[in-house]
Amino acid sequence: MSKKNTPRLPDVSAEGRQPARSRREEMERLMAERKQQERRRSIRVQALVGALVVVLVVGVTVVVLATRGSDEPAAVPPGLTSDGAIRFGAADATVTVQAVEDFQCPACQQFEAALGSTLAEYRASDDVAVEYRPIAFLDNASSTEYASRALNASMCVLADAGADAWMAMHESLYAQQPAEGTAGLDDATLASMAVDAGADEDAVGPCITDRRYDDWIQQHTDDVMSSGVSSTPTVSVNGTQVEAAQLASAVEAARS
């Protein structure tokens, strides 16, 4: 009687199952690595897109600012001399007195209190012209850039109502000069003073609150300071700087 071949049963022991589990784990590991690679690739793509967007935004911003700068030059107040002064007197006057002032400057207030009437006499004369060249370099002396705001308000008056109204505003600003280190007069007060000086309320109000001449003021102040002026008031007679106390004698000498 021949022996029957006994079928070989599959190995179901732990040792027999290990290779199948290892293959499954290997497949899972490979799939996990693939997902990780895809995730890293996606992050790189997103970062690249983000960088391109930033570059595009910066480029557009630069173009817009450049265009704005070329299309919208700084507003310049009308009625000024070539060096940014308000002139009272004939163009061919024998003597020209020029005063560089800052509306926040206490020494300028003292100068106006002491010599304002003398300057008024010069303005009314036939042979002496007076030029006021206001700047704003004392913005740090207030918490609201009062020097610039006051100068802007005076330029708004000049633009709307002319030199005589500007002079009235000039006198009011020194009469009501705020102490250094304070906020200074607010825009509503400046607008009220401008109207009292002769400006139209509807015209001067927005000009003051919008600080229409701010860019010009900054550039003008830089130009004046770069020309050699280092303090206010700086007074000159026919281009020669003089001490305030010597103004009258310097004018008389220039008249002769």
Side-chain angles (χ1 to χ4, degrees), residues 25-35 37:
E25 291 174 350
E26 179 67 15
M27 291 180 64
E28 291 175 352
R29 184 183 66 80
L30 291 174
M31 291 178 65
E33 288 182 355
R34 184 175 301 171
K35 289 181 179 179
Q37 291 174 354

Side-chain angles (χ1 to χ4, degrees), residues 111-130:
F111 168 75
E112 288 292 335
L115 294 173
S117 59
T118 300
L119 293 173
E121 292 176 4
Y122 293 156
R123 295 197 304 270
S125 70
D126 295 328
D127 60 341
V128 180
V130 180

Side-chain angles (χ1 to χ4, degrees), residues 59-73:
V60 170
T61 301
V62 169
V63 171
V64 169
L65 291 177
T67 303
R68 181 181 301 171
S70 60
D71 291 345
E72 299 179 10

Side-chain angles (χ1 to χ4, degrees), residues 18-254:
Q18 185 64 36
R21 182 186 304 160
S22 297
R23 286 194 297 272
R24 186 167 56 252
E25 291 174 350
E26 179 67 15
M27 291 180 64
E28 291 175 352
R29 184 183 66 80
L30 291 174
M31 291 178 65
E33 288 182 355
R34 184 175 301 171
K35 289 181 179 179
Q36 185 66 23
Q37 291 174 354
E38 291 176 353
R39 188 178 298 112
R40 285 197 294 266
R41 187 180 302 113
S42 176
I43 291 173
R44 286 196 296 269
V45 170
Q46 291 175 4
L48 178 60
V49 171
L52 291 174
V53 169
V54 170
V55 171
L56 179 61
V57 170
V58 171
V60 170
T61 301
V62 169
V63 171
V64 169
L65 291 177
T67 303
R68 181 181 301 171
S70 60
D71 291 345
E72 299 179 10
V76 178
L80 299 174
T81 65
S82 60
D83 61 353
I86 300 93
R87 182 181 176 91
F88 296 86
D92 59 351
T94 305
V95 183
T96 297
V97 175
Q98 187 177 91
V100 179
E101 300 178 323
D102 186 309
F103 287 118
Q104 180 67 81
C105 164
C108 296
Q109 183 190 49
Q110 296 166 8
F111 168 75
E112 288 292 335
L115 294 173
S117 59
T118 300
L119 293 173
E121 292 176 4
Y122 293 156
R123 295 197 304 270
S125 70
D126 295 328
D127 60 341
V128 180
V130 180
E131 293 182 350
Y132 295 87
R133 199 179 181 195
I135 62 174
F137 81 111
L138 291 176
D139 274 339
N140 290 336
S142 79
S143 59
T144 63
E145 298 182 337
Y146 176 74
S148 287
R149 292 194 301 109
L151 178 50
N152 177 74
S154 78
M155 292 296 106
C156 293
V157 172
L158 177 67
D160 182 65
D164 289 339
W166 180 88
M167 178 54 64
M169 183 67 169
H170 169 273
E171 293 173 353
S172 294
L173 287 169
Y174 280 120
Q176 301 183 52
Q177 185 185 74
E180 291 183 296
T182 67
L185 306 176
D186 59 25
D187 287 348
T189 301
L190 291 173
S192 177
M193 293 166 62
V195 172
D196 290 342
D200 178 74
E201 182 176 4
D202 292 337
V204 81
C207 180
I208 290 174
T209 56
D210 294 345
R211 296 179 67 166
R212 182 171 301 164
Y213 299 110
D214 230 24
D215 290 343
W216 173 83
I217 287 169
Q218 293 177 28
Q219 184 60 57
H220 170 66
T221 299
D222 290 344
D223 291 344
V224 173
M225 301 299 288
S226 298
S227 71
V229 172
S230 59
S231 62
T232 53
T234 294
V235 183
S236 62
V237 175
N238 286 350
T240 300
Q241 187 171 329
V242 300
E243 295 296 327
Q246 306 301 318
L247 175 61
S249 59
V251 169
E252 291 308 311

